[in-house]
């Protein structure tokens, strides 16, 4: 999945300036005028026949300026094309390492590391605090003063400034370092909940549900709703509610009767911690689950990071509000990063708007890298991340 951002508006229209009308030549100078016109015509013909001379007379910069000034419509089209090309590759630029530079573009467009001093070693002093923007953080002492922390605050502020509500929780599965925001608020999870249901039926049947491998694959990889309903019909709701009781109790009761129970980021994160345990356990059915989650379509985190890391993920989205089915853009995942595995759950009421959520996910990944001693580079360039 790649992010799409609105193209910048073209600058003001280039006004047309009508040249003043010239008076006809006086009678006494007609002959001179004719001779001059002939000389000009000859010069033009010579220029047309000798491209090298034409290039020398009209440098490339002059042509570019003239072309840009010719039409505001052309300028707008050009801007849209450039912006589209830039953001189409923003997420897939994750394949470039943080220290690499591309000679074809300026250094300002490259992902860059946060080089501010921070002891992220295993023995580092860890503190817990809440930022002015309401983000709860457990990280090495000094993280609050890093550009990475500031960028996360800015990304959250930009998202909520659009009128959207957001909840997330991210934790490093070894050190416990992480961040959260509105983590106890319940959201409609849309299809992100399908990973939880499939895990529940595989675990609860000791891998027996793997007999429905084709249906599980379509449900997770393609987020196919018919396949989800088929699994619910086969394995029921009781297994759903029972599995959620100890992990996301706020969602359990609704899960006994409803396909998409409302859940908090805390609850969803607990579910993904269990997905990680089960997925790395070698238990029956685990390889089917993780094989599907590693190649899910439409995953924002997958688009950002899969060229660098293994990412088990399940996104969810819904564009309209229809009673219980409210608007949603969400994703739960396990990221096997360069500095440790982490679980992440992000929920929002944005109406199918991964373009807006992507910078938040990018900033969360960078935050994990900074606090755990790995890469803090943003996978999106600064010009397309916030604002």
């Amino acid at each position: 999945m790649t992010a799409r951002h609105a193209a910048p508006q073209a600058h003001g229209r280039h006004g047309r300036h009508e040249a003043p009308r010239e008076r006809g030549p006086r009678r006494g100078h007609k002959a001179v005028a004719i001779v001059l016109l002939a000389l000009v015509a000859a010069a033009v013909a010579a220029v047309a026949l000798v491209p090298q001379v034409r290039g020398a007379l009209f440098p490339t910069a002059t042509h570019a300026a003239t072309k840009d000034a010719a039409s505001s419509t052309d300028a707008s089209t050009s801007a849209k094309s450039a912006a589209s090309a830039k953001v189409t590759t923003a997420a897939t630029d994750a394949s470039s390492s943080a220290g690499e530079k591309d000679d074809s573009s300026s250094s300002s467009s490259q992902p860059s590391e946060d080089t501010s001093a921070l002891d992220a070693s295993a023995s580092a002093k860890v503190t817990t605090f809440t930022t002015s923007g309401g983000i709860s953080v457990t990280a090495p002492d000094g993280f609050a003063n890093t550009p990475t922390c500031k960028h996360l605050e800015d990304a959250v502020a930009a998202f909520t400034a659009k009128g959207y509500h957001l909840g997330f929780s991210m934790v490093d599965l070894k050190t416990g370092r992480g961040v959260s925001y509105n983590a106890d608020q319940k959201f409609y999870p849309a299809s992100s909940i399908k990973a939880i249901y499939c895990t529940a039926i595989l675990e609860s049947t000791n891998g027996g549900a793997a007999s429905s491998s084709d249906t599980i694959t379509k449900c997770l990889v393609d987020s196919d709703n018919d396949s989800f309903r088929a699994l619910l019909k086969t394995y029921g709701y009781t297994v759903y509610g029972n599995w959620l009781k100890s992990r996301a109790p706020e969602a359990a009761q609704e899960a006994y009767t409803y396909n998409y129970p409302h859940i908090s980021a805390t609850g969803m994160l607990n579910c993904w911690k269990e997905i990680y345990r089960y997925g790395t356990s070698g238990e029956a059915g685990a390889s089917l689950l993780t094989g599907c989650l590693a190649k899910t379509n439409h995953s924002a985190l997958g688009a950002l990071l899969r060229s660098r890391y293994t990412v088990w993920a399940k996104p969810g989205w819904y564009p309209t509000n229809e009673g219980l089915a409210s608007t949603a853009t969400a994703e739960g995942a396990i990221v096997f990063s360069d500095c440790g595995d982490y679980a992440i759950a992000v929920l929002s009421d944005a109406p199918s708007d991964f373009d807006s959520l992507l910078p938040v996910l990018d900033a969360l990944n960078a935050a994990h890298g900074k606090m755990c001693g790995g890469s803090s580079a943003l996978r999106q360039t600064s010009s397309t991340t916030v604002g």
Side-chain angles (χ1 to χ4, degrees):
M1 189 215 111
T2 52
R4 296 192 306 276
H5 298 260
Q9 295 296 318
H11 293 294
R13 295 189 178 226
H14 299 279
R16 292 185 178 180
H17 298 282
E18 205 171 295
R21 295 183 181 180
E22 296 180 355
R23 296 179 182 178
R26 296 178 183 176
R27 292 181 181 180
H29 299 286
K30 283 185 178 179
V32 175
I34 291 171
V35 171
L36 289 173
L37 288 171
L39 289 172
V40 170
V44 171
V47 169
L49 291 171
V50 187
Q52 294 86 348
V53 176
R54 189 174 191 276
L57 292 173
F58 304 101
T60 302
T62 303
H63 279 303
T66 303
K67 183 176 181 180
D68 288 343
S71 166
S72 60
T73 302
D74 289 344
S76 176
T77 301
S78 176
K80 288 179 180 179
S81 298
S84 177
K86 188 172 186 179
V87 299
T88 297
T89 58
T92 55
D93 280 346
S95 59
S96 300
S97 67
E100 290 177 343
K101 290 188 177 181
D102 182 355
D103 293 336
S104 65
S105 61
S106 66
S107 60
S108 63
S109 67
Q110 299 303 306
S112 59
E113 293 286 350
D114 173 359
T115 58
S116 59
L118 184 71
D119 179 8
S121 66
S123 60
K125 178 183 178 182
V126 174
T127 60
T128 298
F129 63 93
T130 301
T131 71
S132 59
I135 302 172
S136 298
V137 181
T138 299
D141 190 31
F143 178 78
N145 300 319
T146 64
T148 296
C149 184
K150 177 63 165 59
H151 183 82
L152 177 59
E153 289 187 281
D154 289 345
V156 171
F159 184 85
T160 57
K162 297 181 179 182
Y164 300 154
H165 296 92
L166 174 70
F168 61 73
S169 189
M170 179 271 287
V171 66
D172 182 82
L173 293 164
K174 182 178 181 181
T175 67
R177 300 171 187 177
V179 296
S180 63
Y181 176 80
N182 286 347
D184 295 327
Q185 181 177 341
K186 292 200 297 184
F187 290 86
Y188 176 68
S191 291
S192 65
I193 204 73
K194 292 172 183 175
I196 292 171
Y197 184 79
C198 289
T199 303
I201 62 173
L202 284 165
E203 280 193 348
S204 301
T205 60
N206 296 314
S211 60
S212 302
S213 60
D214 289 347
T215 309
I216 289 173
T217 298
K218 290 177 183 177
C219 177
L220 293 177
V221 176
D222 299 325
S223 203
D224 182 68
N225 289 333
D226 289 338
S227 297
F228 186 33
R229 285 190 286 268
L231 291 172
L232 284 160
K233 184 175 181 180
T234 300
Y235 300 99
Y237 291 87
T238 301
V239 65
Y240 202 5
N242 289 348
W243 193 91
L244 282 168
K245 270 185 179 180
S246 62
R247 300 177 178 96
E250 77 281 4
Q253 188 58 45
E254 199 175 20
Y256 285 111
T257 57
Y258 183 46
N259 299 14
Y260 304 91
H262 291 68
I263 193 169
S264 68
T266 296
M268 180 171 276
L269 188 77
N270 288 337
C271 294
W272 276 91
K273 287 180 180 179
E274 175 58 20
I275 289 173
Y276 177 77
R277 186 213 63 77
Y278 176 57
T280 57
S281 68
E283 295 174 15
S287 61
L288 169 62
L289 178 71
T290 60
C292 292
L293 294 176
K295 59 183 180 182
T296 45
N297 293 320
H298 316 299
S299 166
L301 279 166
L304 281 172
L305 301 173
R306 276 181 179 154
S307 59
R308 291 171 61 87
Y309 314 129
T310 295
V311 178
W312 300 345
K314 184 66 193 78
W317 60 96
Y318 202 70
T320 58
N321 193 328
E322 299 175 349
L324 283 176
S326 58
T327 57
T329 305
E331 184 142 22
I334 300 292
V335 178
F336 295 82
S337 82
D338 60 339
C339 59
D341 308 340
Y342 69 88
I344 183 171
V346 182
L347 297 158
S348 79
D349 61 3
S352 296
D353 191 359
F354 279 107
D355 289 353
S356 293
L357 190 63
L358 194 63
V360 176
L361 296 171
D362 196 15
L364 284 166
N365 176 66
H368 175 265
K370 186 63 178 177
M371 65 177 61
C372 294
S375 173
S376 60
L378 295 169
R379 297 296 95 207
Q380 290 187 289
T381 62
S382 59
S383 61
T384 58
T385 300
V386 179

